[in-house]
Structures are given as C-alpha cells and as structure tokens.
Amino acid sequence: MKHLLLGDEAIAQGAIDAGLSGVYAYPGTPSTEITEYIQLCEKRKALSTNTVETGKIFCQWATNEKTAMEGALGMSYMGKRALVCMKHVGMNVCADAFMNAAITGINGGLVVVAADDPSMHSSQNEQDSRFYAKFAMIPCLEPSNQQEAYDMMHYAFDLSESLRTPILLRVTTRMAHSRAVVETIDTPREQNVLSAPENTNHFILLPAFARKNYAELVEAQADFVQTSEESLYNTYTKGIQPKKAIVTTGIAYNYLREVIGDSQEASVLKITQYPFPATMINQLVADGAEEILVMEEGQPVVEELLRGMVPSSVAVKGRLTGDLPRMGELTPDCVRAALENGNVKTESEKAVPEIVVGRPPALCQGCGHRDMYAALNEVAAEHEGSKIFGDIGCYTLGALSPFHAIHACVEMGASITMAKGAADAGQFPSFAVIGDSTFTHSGMTGLLDCVNSKANVVVLISDNLTTGMTGGQDSAGTGRLEAICLGLGVEPEHVRVVVPLPKNMEEIKQVLREEVAYNGTSVVIARRECIQTLKRHLKAKK
Amino acid sequence: MKRDIILAGVGGQGILSIATVIGDAALNEGLYLKQAEVHGMSQRGGDVQSNLRLSSDPIYSDLIPKGGADLIISLEPMEALRYLPYLKEDGWIVTSSKPFVNIPNYPEIEDVIKHIEAISHHVLLDVETLAKEAGAPAQAANMVLLGAAIPMLGIDHDKIVEGVKRIFARKGEAVVAANLAAIEAGYQASNI
C-alpha cells in the first residue's frame, strides 16, 4: 500500500508493522506525531468491528521521558517490543534510564526515537542525539528519507533483538515533519509473546553483575561495527574523480543529490547506521581521497571522528572548517555553497523587501495565560526587583511583547527550582510560572524541595488542562493538581485556585498579593481550559 | 512534470489544508511528492510556511533551494513577500490581498501591494470576500486561493476537485459543496 506520510508517521507505521506492543512517550516537537499516529490507529481499531483481531498496542502518554523509557524497558523485559519517542532534550531527562538500558540489554526489541531540532524551530538548543548513542555504546540509525524511516523500524527491532541491545533511531525536524509517499507492507508482524528474561541478573545492576554486563557491552562493540559495515543502509560509491570524496549522514544525502543530481564525479559514502563503519572510510582513502567533505545535520559528530581516523594528509572539511555553517540545519543552498567552494551565483535571487517585518508567535487571543500574566505583571511591579522564573510551554511566549513577563526559562521544571535558588540567595519576591503538564513532568520534585526548606516562593501553575504547546495532548495531572500540591506538603491555606479571566482580575491580584506576603511556599493555580482544545471539545459535542 | 511550491501564511490560517488537497490529488496522479511543514511553537500566530514539491521523477530534498520555487501561494500578502528569495525569475505569486495584522509594526498595506504588483506574474485576490460571495464560510478562503492557483499547479482542475471531494467527504456534503464553490470562485477570479 502507498500512503502519504510524515516522517514521524512513517516511523509509527513501521513500528506497528514490526509487531510493536507499546509506545512510551512525552509530547515534544518534532516527535509528537509518532505517538499520536499510533493512538489514532488504536482508536480506529477499537471502533472497527470487522478487523482481524490483532494485539492491542499500549499508547498512553507518559508523565515524562524518564518514566517513558523505564516503562518501555519493563515491557522489553517481559519479551515484548517497545518504542520510546521524544524530542532531543527529552534524552537528557531519560538519560539515566537510557544509559543503563544499554548495560542491562534487552529482552523484547527496544527502539528509542530521538527527534532533534537543528535551527531550534521549537527548542531551546540543538544538541545532537547521536552523542547519546556513542555515549551509551549502542547502535544508532539515521534514515535519509521517509521510506527508509519506515523500513528501518522493522530493521531496528530485528537488530535490537539479534544484538540484544536498545537501538537509537535519530531523526531531525525536516525528516519528522515532511511528508512523502511511503510504501508499506500489508500485514503487520505478530507481537512477541509474554516471556520473562531467562537470566534476570542481566537486569540487576549490582556492581558485580553490572561489571560483567559492561564487559559484554564493550566486547560487543566489534560486532556493532561489523553490523554497520555490512549494513545495506550504508553505501559507498567510488567516484570517477575519487580525490574528492563526500560523506553524508541521514538527510544530508538528499541535499547532496538535489545539488549534484546523479553525478558520479566524487566518491560518496552515505551513512545511515552507526557505529561509524571504519572499513568504509579506509576504502575511501585507499581509493585516493585527498579531501573529504562531511555533510551532517546537527553537530560535527562524524567530522570530528574522521579527523582521528584518516591520515593527516587527507583534508577533512565540514562544519568545523567553515565550509558548512557551524550551526543550524543544512539546506540545499548551504550544501551547494560548500560543494562549489562558496562560489554560488546569486545575481538572479530576489531580495526580501525591507518593509517585511518579523511576525513572532504569540499567545492566542482569549488564552488564559494572557490573563494570568496581566495579573502577575501588576503584582510583580508593586515590588522593586521582582523576579519571575518561567518554564517550557506556550506560556514561555510571556517573555515576548506585550507581557515581557519572565526573566528566565531554561528547561522543563526549572522555574520552581530556580525560583527557590533565587529565594535561597535572598531574592524577594521570587515567582515561578509553570504549566500543568510541565509541573507533573518535572516540577513536582522541585516543589517538594521548596516545601522542605520552607522556601519563600510563589509558584503559579497555569493550568489549561492540556499539553498545549504540542497540540493538546492529555496532561498527566489533570483534576489532581491541588491534591498533588497538598500531598507534597504545601500548607492547605496556601494552595489557591483562581480562574484567569479579565473579570476576575482584582481577585487574582489580591490572591497573589496575599501569597507574596506569606513567608513560605505558596501555590496559585490559575485554571482555565486551553481555548484551542475547548474549541475542539465544543465541536465534538455538536 | 515538476513544481516547487511555497505555501505561506500566519499560523492558524489553514495553509496545511491547501497542501493536503494538492497532496491527495498528486498522490492519485502517481506523482512523487515531498512536503515539509512547520509544527510546534511557530504555529501560534507566527509566520508559517510549507515547502511542497511535486514531480514525475523522484525528489530528494525536502526543502526548495533559493530561486527554485515555481509558485508562492500565500494567505497573507506580506507573508508572500517573505519568501521572494525562493521564487524563480519567472515564478508566480498567488496571494490573498487582505492583511492579517497581529503585530504593532505591520507595514502600510499599499506598500505591500505595490511590491507584489512589481512581480510580473501575480494574482492578488480578496479571497475572504470571494468565499462569502460564493456562499461559502470565510474559513473556505484557503480553497478560493487554491482554486486561483490551479492554472499554475501542473495538476488538472478536475483532479483538484476530486481531491477536495475526498478530503472533505467525512465532514458531510454541505462542507464539500461549500469548498467546491470556493474552489470555483477562485478558479474563475484568477482569470489566467
């Protein structure tokens, strides 16, 4: 069957067709659509009456990437195939579980998908997840197009089960969020049957057992390299002029072909599987390469690696040498410039008229975050030097015009703990602004720290009953935020709830003033449904 | 056959629905297609664009090189100008003439229109009014714009109509009819 699929959807369909039993994920651009697609397929399956009975796939959102990774490892432990999906910075959150899953190894196939966001379209950094695969010493796949993304999921689960290791599949924004025609198989593979591991010592990382496991992982490295060298997904084509060679990784290959077409002049090594296949680069050099241009999306991972692998007489060029931009995603234009040594003809290129101005994203009209910021800004202005620590979500846009409200925003959950640290240092008043989903993702533990040291902070949970930024996915703590705060030990009289609407402005400001006056940890929950999900819910009711 | 198209607008205006219809028609024609979209943060009232590439031969890059676009379809006039470096020398701009003002420093609309009219191949339409005149809701303005772009798409009018029918089928006959009326209104108005 042929389908028009986003890269993310191709990954999801590939996993389903490979006999997946569960997907574990926290929403994050550009990875969200993988899990959403599987959820949609499960919903359709449940509604359909005449489908052949196939196994259910667990697909409920996890509270954060770490709980997701651990859930998937548990499913793998029981012999079934599990998938974990996240955006690149989610890898930091699940790093403890991820690194140690490489030490335990797997039982059922385990594939981790990390969607990187070079150029930071919707992210706070452009870290390259391939470092994590190298760090954990496990194989990594980096498909170059949507069809490969689909095919590689089956391959990834097979590889995971044959090498007994988790596999990291890395994509970037342009793969995740670009549609293409993908040919799929007709009948999905059966799911694995429930079967616990024969040797549970593998999963007990006491030092004595862990040392043995780690030694096995170190020993397996040679197999991993050999698998890469023999992989059909890594290809080498000797050029007519083999002095000039090009190494591409992932989707960089597409930009190369866009520019040079089917030209066979230069030698081309196309990499979509790691660890880096050493014999292939040796062959490239043996065939006479004097200059290697490395094109990779993200950080110069391969470029750095090659500098240590090839003789010093061979020039390695790429992002580190300035032939390609040091940061940001690749484009057909920068690849062309690198291939033509910067001599690109641009005389016919039209300029953007000067009257065209930027149009930054903004909070929706009628959004509750707006009313929350309007009240908070007024109360904060009543004290000289107020500091407001923001967090990750739509409400980060409170940093921009017209609110200019927040003074920091770093990573998921940091609002509460940074506000606490600032208060510890002597700052008053110290506010934290965090969304409901971000609060359950990584804010709860920080709030416990506040309670334990009676930190003088006011935590605003801007509760829109959803994970808004990524398109309105279920939020893990909906309906239970007060109970969670009370359970963590916040004094009952300092857990306040307001409804962020213009008509309630005076009341909200009064509540904030009272909590600023309280020398201890306060939580003010500003609760009103996201207007985007509200619209959808009203439509569905009609 | 090869067409590189940039779809532009402001988050929430509905450029992806245009892409969905063209994509469906292209898939049915057996064409190769690549369509890079913008999701996430930039959707919230910011500038959004999608690179749509159609070809009878395999397509490699998901992104259109500068100076490579045959056509810019924009639901907002200033947004059409933002992607001029991508337009071919003899490329087309098909755009709504109505500004979407959600920023304090939006330029004078007369200046925006002047710059669009300076492009020799352009279609400038008040798509919202055309939608209403055709008896369709304002939300169907994107389909008016698509109708106006049909002559430059390289896909037959009837194939686009079939695409509209398939895409909107599950929303009921009334929605299909409204969108078809919008397509026709745009197709007639572009007058190419």
Side-chain angles (χ1 to χ4, degrees), chain B residues 114-131:
Chain B
K114 225 180 280 170
H115 277 284
I116 290 167
E117 287 174 343
I119 304 295
S120 47
H121 295 140
H122 70 269
V123 174
L124 198 57
L125 294 175
D126 181 350
V127 288
E128 272 185 37
T129 304
L130 284 167

Side-chain angles (χ1 to χ4, degrees), chain A residues 4 33 122 146 177-181 254-255 257-258 332-333 350 352 355 357 359 361-362 394 468-469, chain B residues 27 33-35 37 39 41 44 46-47 53 60-63 66 76 79 82 85 88-89 100 102 107:
Chain A
L4 189 53
E33 293 79 3
S122 200
Q146 291 78 353
H177 284 170
S178 182
R179 272 174 220 281
V181 179
N254 303 336
Y255 300 132
R257 284 291 163 214
E258 179 71 24
D333 304 304
K350 294 181 176 66
V352 179
I355 59 161
V357 291
R359 195 190 300 259
C394 287
M469 173 103 274
Chain B
L27 190 62
L33 179 149
K34 282 221 167 188
Q35 187 211 333
E37 302 172 1
H39 297 217
M41 180 170 257
R44 306 269 174 255
D47 56 275
R53 316 191 72 187
Y60 284 107
S61 170
D62 297 88
L63 298 176
K66 284 187 176 159
E76 208 283 340
E79 294 308 322
R82 196 184 298 284
K88 272 186 187 164
E89 188 64 49
F100 187 102
N102 64 344

Side-chain angles (χ1 to χ4, degrees), chain A residues 428-439:
Chain A
F428 173 81
S430 192
F431 296 95
V433 172
I434 186 166
D436 51 317
S437 185
T438 305
F439 175 68

Side-chain angles (χ1 to χ4, degrees), chain A residues 2-4 6 29 33 121-123 144-146 173-175 177-181 251 253-255 257-258 261-262 329-333 336 348-364 393-394 396-397 401 468-472 532 539, chain B residues 2 4 10 20 23-24 27 31-47 49 53 59-67 76 78-79 81-91 100-108 111-112 115 119 171:
Chain A
K2 278 187 177 179
H3 310 267
L4 189 53
L6 282 179
T29 312
E33 293 79 3
H121 295 280
S122 200
S123 304
S144 73
N145 58 48
Q146 291 78 353
T173 303
R174 295 302 172 182
M175 163 63 75
H177 284 170
S178 182
R179 272 174 220 281
V181 179
I251 65 169
Y253 181 76
N254 303 336
Y255 300 132
R257 284 291 163 214
E258 179 71 24
D262 296 330
E329 62 184 354
L330 297 176
T331 63
D333 304 304
R336 177 181 293 277
S348 64
E349 193 181 293
K350 294 181 176 66
V352 179
E354 275 175 25
I355 59 161
V356 175
V357 291
R359 195 190 300 259
L363 289 168
C364 304
C394 287
T396 312
L397 295 170
S401 181
M469 173 103 274
T470 44
Q532 299 291 346
K539 230 180 186 176
Chain B
K2 183 173 175 291
D4 285 342
V10 180
T20 306
D24 182 86
L27 190 62
L31 293 173
Y32 290 94
L33 179 149
K34 282 221 167 188
Q35 187 211 333
E37 302 172 1
V38 176
H39 297 217
M41 180 170 257
S42 35
Q43 280 180 306
R44 306 269 174 255
D47 56 275
Q49 50 82 20
R53 316 191 72 187
I59 305 163
Y60 284 107
S61 170
D62 297 88
L63 298 176
I64 298 168
K66 284 187 176 159
E76 208 283 340
M78 182 181 78
E79 294 308 322
L81 295 173
R82 196 184 298 284
Y83 305 100
L84 276 188
Y86 290 89
L87 193 64
K88 272 186 187 164
E89 188 64 49
D90 57 349
F100 187 102
V101 183
N102 64 344
I103 44 172
N105 55 339
Y106 194 94
E108 292 298 326
D111 293 340
V112 174
H115 277 284
I119 304 295
K171 296 193 173 178

Side-chain angles (χ1 to χ4, degrees), chain B residues 9-187:
Chain B
V10 180
Q13 276 193 314
I15 66 164
L16 290 184
S17 305
I18 300 179
T20 306
V21 173
I22 301 176
D24 182 86
L27 190 62
N28 265 279
E29 286 286 272
L31 293 173
Y32 290 94
L33 179 149
K34 282 221 167 188
Q35 187 211 333
E37 302 172 1
V38 176
H39 297 217
M41 180 170 257
S42 35
Q43 280 180 306
R44 306 269 174 255
D47 56 275
V48 291
Q49 50 82 20
S50 172
N51 281 205
L52 178 60
R53 316 191 72 187
L54 313 172
S55 176
S56 44
D57 295 314
I59 305 163
Y60 284 107
S61 170
D62 297 88
L63 298 176
I64 298 168
K66 284 187 176 159
D70 300 281
L71 174 62
I72 293 173
I73 301 177
S74 180
L75 278 162
E76 208 283 340
M78 182 181 78
E79 294 308 322
L81 295 173
R82 196 184 298 284
Y83 305 100
L84 276 188
Y86 290 89
L87 193 64
K88 272 186 187 164
E89 188 64 49
D90 57 349
W92 278 87
I93 289 188
V94 178
T95 181
S96 162
S97 59
K98 193 181 170 192
F100 187 102
V101 183
N102 64 344
I103 44 172
N105 55 339
Y106 194 94
E108 292 298 326
I109 183 64
E110 292 77 19
D111 293 340
V112 174
I113 300 296
K114 225 180 280 170
H115 277 284
I116 290 167
E117 287 174 343
I119 304 295
S120 47
H121 295 140
H122 70 269
V123 174
L124 198 57
L125 294 175
D126 181 350
V127 288
E128 272 185 37
T129 304
L130 284 167
K132 282 180 210 156
E133 284 172 6
Q139 294 100 292
N142 55 357
M143 289 299 118
V144 175
L145 196 68
L146 171 57
I150 286 176
M152 305 79 163
L153 281 182
I155 298 176
D156 290 344
H157 169 276
D158 295 354
K159 305 287 178 189
I160 295 293
V161 166
E162 284 169 29
V164 171
K165 286 181 185 163
R166 276 191 299 268
I167 294 297
F168 293 100
R170 62 187 176 85
K171 296 193 173 178
E173 276 176 32
V175 175
V176 172
N179 281 292
L180 287 178
I183 289 276
E184 286 314 312
Y187 187 62

